[in-house]
Amino acid sequence: GARRYHRLLVAALQNPLGRMVMLNALLDSAEDANGRRALLSLEPGPATKDAVSVPIAQLMEFRLDGGLPVWRYAVGDDKTTIEKRVFMPYRQNTVIVLYRVSGEAPVTLHLTPAVHFRGYEAPVSEALHEHYACSLNGNWLRLSTGGLPPVHLCVEGTFEFLEDPRRREQVGYAVEEARGYEFHGSLWSPGTLALPVSPGSSVALVVSTEDPGVVESMSAEEALGVEMERKRRLIESAPSDAH
């Protein structure tokens, strides 16, 4: 369907809530062994003033793999490559952001999620809830507010949580602006996840409103394999003219 309002995870919740935006943005960047950082996205998010001066990583390739988006970036004097995939497991209120690192040197990924729980059709300018709460249990973060179902963030990989809860005001949304909708709003962020990754390894951030037991039933790599197989079967079952 048409993309009306910016979001990264829309969950189909029980009535009377219906479809709700549960994860609005993920600001991600990579830091090389020399402490140099580069942004991996230009999504609206809880960027600090310092982030304005952070350069954008070199995008080497963008492609669709089985209909799923894949970005490949070069960082650290082009000696390290980061492959980023975003996908949703079938029939789950879950989104997975998977990073694979290859090359010569390790990197540290910095992932800063930003939320504004609101109805799917609500404008980005809708008032932000006054109080969001964040709790950490093992490799799980739980974000909640005002009687709404929580959203769970699961980290696959070693990480450090740099707690820094704050609101971001007057966040701009370029697509909404281009389409004539209200395009300024507020976001709340719990802080940043720092994930060291060695070449040949992968890490993932899984964001879901499902029960944690459902999310932990398979790894991000396993979930990707299942989704790719599902896509392959859909293509095989379609008329040959549609392949």
Side-chain angles (χ1 to χ4, degrees):
R3 174 188 182 278
R4 181 173 183 181
Y5 290 121
H6 183 89
R7 73 275 182 182
L8 194 57
L9 173 62
V10 173
L13 304 177
Q14 293 183 349
N15 288 331
L17 296 175
R19 300 177 72 188
M20 292 197 67
V21 178
M22 303 302 287
L23 178 65
N24 303 72
L26 181 68
L27 182 71
D28 51 358
S29 63
E31 180 181 350
D32 66 18
N34 296 316
R36 294 173 298 188
R37 289 179 60 187
L39 295 174
L40 302 182
S41 69
L42 290 177
E43 296 294 331
T48 63
K49 293 181 180 179
D50 295 337
V52 175
S53 61
V54 176
I56 302 170
Q58 182 180 2
L59 179 63
M60 304 294 292
E61 178 187 19
F62 174 78
R63 70 182 190 276
L64 294 178
D65 186 4
L68 302 177
V70 182
W71 297 261
R72 188 164 60 87
Y73 299 94
V75 297
D77 296 327
D78 299 341
K79 294 181 179 180
T80 302
T81 299
I82 300 174
E83 183 183 86
K84 172 183 172 182
R85 295 170 180 261
V86 179
F87 62 99
M88 299 184 70
Y90 183 55
R91 301 190 73 175
Q92 283 193 34
N93 289 319
T94 302
V95 64
I96 298 175
V97 187
L98 175 64
Y99 302 86
R100 294 170 174 167
V101 175
S102 59
E104 300 180 12
V107 298
T108 299
L109 296 174
H110 296 267
L111 311 181
T112 306
V115 299
H116 176 187
F117 297 172
R118 65 175 189 269
Y120 176 67
E121 292 293 340
V124 298
S125 58
E126 183 177 272
L128 187 69
H129 290 272
E130 286 296 324
H131 302 289
Y132 280 86
C134 173
S135 60
L136 176 63
N137 183 12
N139 63 329
W140 286 88
L141 282 176
R142 182 181 186 272
L143 308 183
S144 60
T145 187
L148 295 173
V151 64
H152 305 282
L153 290 78
C154 177
V155 182
E156 290 190 8
T158 301
F159 74 99
E160 179 184 3
F161 177 48
L162 308 174
E163 188 174 3
D164 184 23
R166 64 177 63 192
R167 291 169 60 105
R168 307 292 179 180
E169 308 293 348
Q170 290 296 303
V171 177
Y173 297 84
V175 173
E176 281 74 5
E177 181 180 12
R179 296 187 177 185
Y181 302 124
E182 297 178 71
F183 61 92
H184 281 116
S186 302
L187 294 174
W188 181 84
S189 171
T192 297
L193 300 159
L195 294 78
V197 194
S198 301
S201 301
S202 64
V203 295
L205 179 65
V206 184
V207 184
S208 181
T209 60
E210 304 288 347
D211 183 274
V214 173
V215 178
E216 290 182 325
S217 62
M218 65 177 69
S219 68
E221 292 281 4
E222 291 171 336
L224 176 61
V226 169
E227 183 62 14
M228 293 298 291
E229 176 62 17
R230 188 181 75 86
K231 297 281 190 180
R232 184 189 66 79
R233 291 182 178 180
L234 285 173
I235 293 173
E236 286 187 350
S237 64
S240 58
D241 291 344
H243 286 184

